Amino acid sequence: QATPNPNRTLKGMFNRKWTNIAAAPNSSPACAVAGREGLVILNMGPDSITQRSQPSATVRRWSMALVFKDVIWKPSDYVVTGSNDGTVIIWDPSRPSDSIVRKYQDISRSINRLAHKPDDPFFIYGAFSDVHLLGWDIRVQNARSSFRIEMQRAPQDISCNPVDPNAIAAISSEGQISLWDVRKPTECVKQFHAHSAYNGQCLTWHPKGRFIASGASDQTIKIWDISSVNSSKFNIRPFCSIHTVAITTNRLQWRPGYDTQISSSAFSQDTRLQVWDMRNPNHSLMYHDLHSSPIGGFVWVDEDIVWSTSRDPQHANESNIVQCNMQTDAVITAGLLGNTSADFSPTAELAVATGSFHPRSEVGLPPLLPRRLSPTVKQNAAASKSNGASGGKLKKLEKNPTEVLSMVRFQPDLPESFVDEHVLDPELSSKSAAICYLAACYR
């Protein structure tokens, strides 16, 4: 019998409607999932995904209209849910029955997102769909919040600075990012427009505190360097922008152990969990496509394992729960991309660049080597006359590597490439099909 592998990729289907997921503390192989069908605790592996308990069974009988909009667990021992009627419920998953510890309901508007205070797992924040950010110490019996911020617009998401526990950030429905010091809840530290109006959806603070990533309904993920936010020279421009296939990004999380990698999921169109690298924002680094409908929520368990949930498109009342090992089962985007590019100059010259694209060392895959045609084959391509890599303008670049075209200065992680110059036969100037054929065969 094979030894159980707790890190293997697993998929489970359940007759429930869940849209949010949270990992258990202390590296326990369990998660909490929540949504329209209440709150359920699942055992994740080692060979299957099974249901452990359903703490919300009694709550469902109490209110059939209750929908849990978000759930958090780690690092606290308590599970916390936020519902569509503004109720925050504290659960003790270790209790076999009557698992509700206490409830809070300061505002009767839906909760968009919950978050833990970095230095206190028993203090939580909630972003409400009116204009309020509230905070509670879940050990206190008092049903009123002990912290309150009133924003100008409804906060869609909230995130805490892992380095400075007094700093929080929120993104509004109008695309504004607001930075706050919880010691001065009446004064906003900084506010700036991150996305166009009515497009803000989510944000997350970098583990080292320097960056904030934001997602919206404008097909972009933006990374903001807020290290100089308290300075008069703070530049309100994104450090980098990532253009996504999906129109709306609904969740963002930094990948543990990789300072430059961030993961995202979408509301619609794109059913993949994408991982992006800030150093190369032009395309995703890797993704998994184990869901057949958009991902509602996901959480990283460690640097390789990610748990995610989605509704089954074939069965409206069922949800899919996936455990994916991104190290072994993710699709490496670099392996799907060509490594040849061509462009024309105003004087009818064609430049072709090609080279090996080395995936990041942590992926652990062999590099993709370029396939260059032999000299004999090149000579037979009568439509192209090669000047060679050592002639013309390229010879000057080789002698002066500090020229502007040397991308090593700007992208030190890119591999070395080689470039050839070509002069096109004038007869080809209007034959686009022939040019495309030559460009495809060159590689």
Side-chain angles (χ1 to χ4, degrees):
Q1 184 177 0
T3 303
N5 180 9
N7 296 327
R8 62 181 293 192
T9 293
L10 302 172
K11 187 173 183 179
M13 182 179 292
F14 297 85
N15 188 23
R16 298 282 194 278
K17 293 180 181 179
W18 298 321
T19 54
N20 302 283
I21 188 169
N26 305 320
S27 302
S28 175
C31 70
V33 288
R36 187 174 296 276
E37 299 296 329
L39 173 68
V40 171
I41 308 300
L42 300 178
N43 292 318
M44 304 296 289
D47 295 314
S48 62
I49 301 174
T50 58
Q51 179 173 322
R52 177 194 297 182
S53 62
Q54 186 177 0
S56 64
T58 57
V59 178
R60 294 298 298 165
R61 290 193 292 269
W62 161 58
S63 175
M64 295 301 294
L66 193 66
V67 177
F68 294 124
K69 305 291 288 186
D70 198 15
V71 59
I72 55 176
W73 191 354
K74 182 180 179 180
S76 171
D77 292 329
Y78 295 112
V79 177
V80 184
T81 57
S83 63
N84 59 335
D85 65 353
T87 304
V88 175
I89 305 178
I90 315 301
W91 311 80
D92 186 348
S94 63
R95 295 182 185 178
S97 62
D98 191 22
S99 56
I100 296 179
V101 178
R102 60 185 57 92
K103 302 177 186 177
Y104 304 104
Q105 190 173 19
D106 291 62
I107 298 173
S108 59
R109 297 293 297 272
S110 176
I111 292 178
N112 290 328
R113 205 61 54 93
L114 297 168
H116 279 113
K117 196 170 187 287
D119 63 339
D120 186 356
F122 296 102
F123 196 92
I124 60 170
Y125 297 104
F128 287 78
S129 59
D130 53 2
V131 294
H132 288 95
L133 298 174
L134 302 183
W136 304 266
D137 188 331
I138 61 177
R139 295 165 296 187
V140 178
Q141 294 288 346
N142 187 0
R144 303 294 295 177
S145 60
S146 59
F147 170 82
R148 180 181 293 250
I149 286 177
E150 186 171 333
M151 296 179 57
Q152 296 178 349
R153 302 295 178 186
Q156 296 293 104
D157 197 0
I158 183 173
S159 183
C160 302
N161 187 343
V163 178
D164 181 3
N166 293 315
I168 61 174
I171 187 169
S172 71
S173 56
E174 289 198 348
Q176 286 185 331
I177 291 180
S178 302
L179 306 178
W180 300 83
D181 187 327
V182 297
R183 295 167 297 186
K184 301 177 181 179
T186 59
E187 300 177 12
C188 182
V189 175
K190 198 74 175 181
Q191 188 176 63
F192 57 93
H193 282 278
H195 301 271
S196 55
Y198 302 104
N199 278 329
Q201 293 292 339
C202 55
L203 85 169
T204 182
W205 216 308
H206 192 276
K208 293 187 177 179
R210 177 181 174 183
F211 299 103
I212 288 179
S214 61
S217 301
D218 56 1
Q219 289 188 289
T220 61
I221 298 170
K222 296 182 180 180
I223 313 295
W224 305 88
D225 186 351
I226 50 113
S227 57
S228 61
V229 66
N230 294 319
S231 170
S232 59
K233 297 181 179 180
F234 176 61
N235 186 12
I236 309 177
R237 297 183 62 183
F239 181 81
C240 72
S241 294
I242 297 170
H243 295 276
T244 62
V245 174
I247 295 177
T248 303
T249 300
N250 70 328
R251 294 276 180 162
L252 290 171
Q253 279 192 30
W254 295 95
R255 185 184 180 190
Y258 297 87
D259 290 342
T260 61
Q261 295 182 21
I262 188 169
S263 52
S264 68
S265 64
F267 267 136
S268 60
Q269 296 180 312
D270 195 349
T271 63
R272 299 170 295 179
L273 189 145
Q274 303 263 20
V275 178
W276 311 84
D277 197 313
M278 290 167 52
R279 297 170 296 184
N280 189 11
N282 298 316
H283 60 80
S284 64
L285 177 66
M286 64 179 75
Y287 66 86
H288 89 62
D289 54 359
L290 300 178
H291 290 278
S292 50
S293 61
I295 295 172
F298 67 91
V299 60
W300 287 93
V301 184
D302 56 33
E303 60 186 22
D304 296 322
I305 304 299
V306 60
W307 296 340
S308 52
T309 179
S310 69
R311 290 189 181 181
D312 189 277
Q314 304 298 326
H315 306 87
N317 294 324
E318 294 185 355
S319 296
N320 293 322
I321 308 296
V322 169
Q323 170 180 287
C324 181
N325 188 330
M326 300 294 284
Q327 183 74 12
T328 59
D329 296 311
V331 179
I332 308 302
T333 311
L336 306 178
L337 301 175
N339 57 1
T340 301
S341 179
D343 198 9
F344 295 96
S345 74
T347 57
E349 294 174 317
L350 173 66
V352 180
T354 187
S356 60
F357 187 101
H358 297 275
R360 307 299 177 192
S361 59
E362 59 262 20
V363 175
L365 297 178
L368 300 174
L369 298 178
R371 300 191 301 274
R372 301 187 66 185
L373 298 181
S374 64
T376 304
V377 176
K378 285 187 178 181
Q379 291 174 3
N380 293 336
S384 176
K385 299 178 181 179
S386 173
N387 292 329
S390 61
K393 303 179 184 66
L394 299 179
K395 188 173 182 179
K396 297 179 182 179
L397 290 177
E398 289 179 353
K399 292 182 178 180
N400 187 8
T402 61
E403 287 285 341
V404 175
L405 292 179
S406 177
M407 289 300 294
V408 177
R409 288 194 305 161
F410 308 103
Q411 295 283 359
D413 295 312
L414 291 180
E416 295 182 0
S417 301
F418 54 86
V419 182
D420 285 343
E421 259 187 276
H422 296 264
V423 178
L424 290 181
D425 191 307
E427 296 181 1
L428 283 177
S429 59
S430 61
K431 299 179 181 180
S432 58
I435 294 173
C436 293
Y437 173 77
L438 287 172
C441 292
Y442 183 84
R443 184 174 183 271

